[in-house]
Amino acid sequence: MRYLTLTYVTRANGKVDEVMAVTRNIKKADLQTCNVILDFRRLEVVKCTMNGTSVPRDWDRVVGYYHQHYASTIERLFNENGYEIVKPEEPKPAVESASDPS
């Protein structure tokens, strides 16, 4: 799979539903109806709009936001498209030396 698409639908009671899908190809209907389209082969934001307002299309920022919610799906998309995920190393605790002060 290549693309992650997200569509936001406002229900009659005012709540917003989020529909997430993974697809190989983008159709014309996807370009018209999806709010967010991420291309994991080219690592680019194809589309990013919220309520008709265009949002900054910064790849790292958009992927970082959705990674919080869809971590396993996004990591799978990176792997399927030939990218390795490198997680930052956690700092190692300082080891105190047991030297005798006397």
Side-chain angles (χ1 to χ4, degrees), residues 7-20:
T7 305
Y8 296 96
V9 180
T10 305
R11 295 192 289 174
N13 63 3
K15 292 187 178 183
V16 178
D17 287 337
E18 180 178 80
V19 180
M20 187 268 298

Side-chain angles (χ1 to χ4, degrees), residues 9-57:
V9 180
T10 305
R11 295 192 289 174
N13 63 3
K15 292 187 178 183
V16 178
D17 287 337
E18 180 178 80
V19 180
M20 187 268 298
V22 177
T23 182
R24 282 195 175 110
N25 301 310
I26 293 184
K27 301 175 183 140
K28 286 183 181 181
D30 294 332
L31 289 170
Q32 294 173 351
T33 60
C34 294
N35 296 89
V36 178
I37 302 174
L38 303 175
D39 182 347
F40 279 83
R41 184 164 299 151
R42 292 185 175 175
L43 301 181
E44 70 178 1
V45 179
V46 177
K47 181 179 180 182
C48 190
T49 60
M50 298 295 164
N51 295 328
T53 305
S54 189
V55 178
R57 295 167 65 172

